[in-house]
Amino acid sequence: MIDVLCTGSATAIGSLPHHDPVDAAGFVLERLPALPAAPSLPNRSPAEGMLGQAVSGVPGVHVDADGRLVVDVERLDPAGVPEPDLDGDSFAGLRAFLHAVHGRRDPVKVQLTGPVTLGLALHRAGAPVETAFAVAGAATRSLSSALLARTAAAAPHATPVVFFDEPGLVALPRAGFPLPLDDAIDLLSGALAAVERVAITGVHCCGATDWGAVVRSGPAVLSLPVATASARAAGTLAGHLDRGGWIAWGAVPTDGPLGTSADLLWRRLGTLWCELVEAGCDPVRLRAQALVTPACGLAGHGRSQADRVLGLTRNLAARIHDQASAARFSIGA
């Protein structure tokens, strides 16, 4: 299934600054034609933020006007999580996107909050640890099932690429994480396993984490910011690539100045790849099994900034594609 991905395809990490869902859908299709990403629009409504979408329809949980979870612990029940209403306020961007890709045959990307991050949020909002993560696992499975069913209805011949967004994984190496590491891996692995027969699975984390643990959960695609990657992870990344996995390189920063061209970003990525090759990664696989993304979502940017970020992302994607093609030609020759 992963063979449908094209080397160097550019895609995005979920959120956009738009308020108009139709405008947002057109924006991603125009700028990310190889692998368009369904947008979420938290500036339009807090219900369309990461947590708002994740708890849509979950009894005993809602988001307030600031997008924070409000939990009625007495009503939380892992066995009572219904399928979310994708026609509600939380999924306006998704609906517009799926309407726009109706009948498409090339891959499309959708994204949802991962169970570890959702469990952490529920626990911080007052739910006991066991209940929080059990509800998170059930809610994630329910939402992923609904997302895939709606995607298949709109574009039955398009392979879905499903990223689980897990910013909570940055806490994995730290003391005080409320779950044992193996339990966190099992929770994420269960979410991935529930969709891997019908979709290409990915895990995105916007910061440094235990990538070895993430790989053990079984995603086909690792999505990580270039700024947090280093040769220390070379063994983990090499093993992932050797098993046919892909890496989505968050090569365009979303938290600082961008500069006037992609040259500096390209040099940063190339420097990292050189370090990884020296530490044991296959140079051909690094390029051939690469996607490129912004480092994180773009809801905090202006429209023109978001356009600039995606333009740089496409520029890097084209360079990766050309370099990988040249490497394959050289080997074949």
Side-chain angles (χ1 to χ4, degrees), residues 120 124 167-181 207-210:
L120 288 170
R124 286 194 297 266
L169 292 178
V170 297
L172 270 185
R174 301 176 187 172
F177 192 80
L179 275 185
L181 178 59
T209 188
D210 183 345

Side-chain angles (χ1 to χ4, degrees), residues 196-220:
E196 65 185 5
R197 286 188 292 275
V198 294
I200 298 168
T201 60
V203 174
H204 170 74
C205 183
C206 54
T209 188
D210 183 345
W211 288 106
V214 178
V215 166
R216 292 203 303 276
S217 71

